[in-house]
Amino acid sequence: MYKSKKKLLKLTLAAFLVGVFTFLPAAEAHILIISDSNNYNEASTLVKTLKSKGYKVVALYKENATTKNIIKGMYKADAVIYEGHGGYQSGNYDGNGGTAKAPFALVGSNGFIWGINGQMREGWNGKLFTAPFKKNIPVILLHTCFSTGWVNGKEVANPTETVYNFAKMFNSAGANYYATGWSGAEIVYDFLRGATSFSDANGKNYEKITKYTTYSGVRVWRNDDGMCAFVGNWSGKFPTAAQTTAYDNAAAEKWYNTAVNPKPDLVITKAYKSGNYLYVTVKNQGTASSGVCYTRAWYGTYYKNIYTYGLKSGAYKTYKVYFKYKHGTVKTDYNKKVSEINENNNGKSF
């Protein structure tokens, strides 16, 4: 449980990073597993089990579990398993069993992923987006405050509403949401031992969910004072190893830079001399408009700065400047005024 005050955020992230362990790189896989240091042993055991059965797994631990990596890992995921903290905004919960108000968040190593009216948002002022995983996948939250209506051993005053609001960011993208406060990732192992659906796995669980309450037209399954919750289709399944697909990091990065965090990307497409003048074409190949900056052309200690106008995504502009040398180097955004997708592709020789 974490408030959304910036001072407390620093404490949150410090606590999140406590513990010494390694992490697996997000290279190929599509069972996405996220874990903080408190649940590392449980998560790493689950990762080993899944991989031994042929599953492709992306595991994000410690500082590698950034909000960007988590969101990218969701791209076309076959399943998501999250072991970490649930966040809330300051003033929306009293910390002592009172009413919990939306929005709620997943906590990454560097910030929050908020659920906002069925969509997600990275950080405080990010762009709203719909979770990018496949339809009908399982999203399983383990030990996450608010996800089952409990926070640090105390039940909130409105558990059904709380579970509904936490689940909404996943359900709205077509996922089946299951959350539990019990240890051991029991429901995942039920599936691996042959459970054919959430309903079948639920029947094998230590706590079998038997009750539901309809909230805002949606059945929220949760026993009285229960430690498990489900919102979705009981016929939903966990994928087999053969059904998991390779994680495409390049495609995920492209989607992220378009849907979640669009940024400009300034490049020099042309730079050539004609007579005493240098002609430089600057293009914004990014996904958002750029601000103004300057482009520098130089040879040795001699240089010329070109005031460079802001460009919309996909736009370009050619500039003309007197330059006395035949050869040199030109670099746009030389004064680092523009935050870009790629900060290392601004230069070109002529």
Side-chain angles (χ1 to χ4, degrees):
M1 174 194 70
Y2 292 93
K3 295 183 179 180
S4 61
K5 291 181 179 179
K6 292 185 178 179
K7 286 185 179 179
L8 190 51
L9 174 59
K10 294 179 181 178
L11 296 176
T12 298
L13 300 184
F16 185 87
L17 295 174
V18 170
V20 179
F21 52 83
T22 59
F23 62 84
L24 300 175
E28 294 184 359
H30 243 141
I31 303 297
L32 174 65
I33 297 181
I34 306 109
S35 176
D36 64 7
S37 58
N38 294 329
N39 299 294
Y40 170 72
N41 289 336
E42 183 176 275
S44 61
T45 298
L46 179 58
V47 168
K48 291 176 184 177
T49 301
L50 287 167
K51 294 183 75 173
S52 72
K53 294 181 178 295
Y55 281 91
K56 302 176 180 72
V57 180
V58 165
L60 300 175
Y61 304 143
K62 202 178 179 180
E63 68 272 4
N64 202 38
T66 63
T67 55
K68 178 179 179 178
N69 283 347
I70 292 171
I71 293 167
K72 281 180 56 182
M74 291 179 181
Y75 182 72
K76 293 189 176 181
D78 296 298
V80 177
I81 301 168
Y82 174 85
E83 297 194 68
H85 297 292
Y88 70 102
Q89 289 189 350
S90 180
N92 283 12
Y93 180 64
D94 66 2
N96 195 37
T99 299
K101 299 178 183 178
F104 301 106
L106 304 179
V107 181
S109 62
N110 65 332
F112 297 85
I113 302 170
W114 296 97
I116 308 291
N117 297 322
Q119 292 186 289
M120 293 182 175
R121 185 187 72 209
E122 183 181 23
W124 310 107
N125 300 303
K127 181 180 178 182
L128 291 177
F129 64 94
T130 299
F133 35 65
K134 296 174 182 176
K135 299 293 184 183
N136 302 313
I137 72 164
V139 171
I140 298 170
L141 272 57
L142 308 175
H143 323 305
T144 305
C145 284
F146 299 103
S147 67
T148 61
W150 292 82
V151 182
N152 289 344
K154 292 188 177 182
E155 189 175 25
V156 301
N158 57 332
T160 298
E161 179 185 11
T162 298
V163 171
Y164 168 84
N165 283 318
F166 210 131
K168 195 174 180 181
M169 70 172 108
F170 308 106
N171 294 144
S172 295
N176 294 305
Y177 172 91
Y178 181 88
T180 179
W182 300 109
S183 62
E186 179 187 13
I187 195 164
V188 180
Y189 289 103
D190 288 333
F191 278 116
L192 296 179
R193 287 190 289 262
T196 58
S197 65
F198 271 106
S199 178
D200 188 19
N202 179 57
K204 302 175 187 297
N205 276 0
Y206 174 77
E207 181 187 344
K208 180 179 179 180
I209 307 173
T210 60
K211 300 184 67 173
Y212 72 85
T213 302
T214 301
Y215 183 87
S216 193
V218 175
R219 288 185 177 183
V220 177
W221 289 83
R222 182 182 183 275
N223 297 332
D224 294 338
D225 304 320
M227 295 293 291
C228 298
F230 180 78
V231 184
N233 182 357
W234 281 113
S235 297
K237 306 176 186 298
F238 194 87
T240 64
Q243 291 171 331
T244 56
T245 55
Y247 173 67
D248 188 337
N249 183 66
E253 180 76 17
K254 182 177 180 180
W255 168 82
Y256 175 87
N257 288 330
T258 302
V260 182
N261 190 24
K263 286 185 176 183
D265 189 21
L266 298 176
V267 295
I268 304 293
T269 58
K270 293 181 181 179
Y272 64 92
K273 280 292 297 293
S274 179
N276 291 324
Y277 291 94
L278 171 66
Y279 293 83
V280 178
T281 300
V282 180
K283 181 178 180 179
N284 177 8
Q285 65 180 16
T287 53
S289 297
S290 69
V292 298
C293 60
Y294 69 74
T295 299
R296 173 171 288 190
W298 72 92
Y299 181 79
T301 59
Y302 173 84
Y303 67 89
K304 284 294 183 74
N305 289 333
I306 305 168
Y307 180 85
T308 305
Y309 295 94
L311 293 170
K312 293 182 178 180
S313 175
Y316 64 90
K317 184 174 178 60
T318 299
Y319 298 89
K320 174 184 174 183
V321 64
Y322 172 80
F323 197 83
K324 67 181 182 180
Y325 292 100
K326 184 177 180 180
H327 300 290
T329 303
V330 61
K331 183 177 182 180
T332 191
D333 192 29
Y334 191 83
N335 54 343
K336 298 292 185 183
K337 290 293 185 180
V338 180
S339 177
E340 302 180 67
I341 293 172
N342 185 349
E343 300 285 358
N344 299 311
N345 62 351
N346 297 128
K348 188 177 183 67
S349 297
F350 62 90

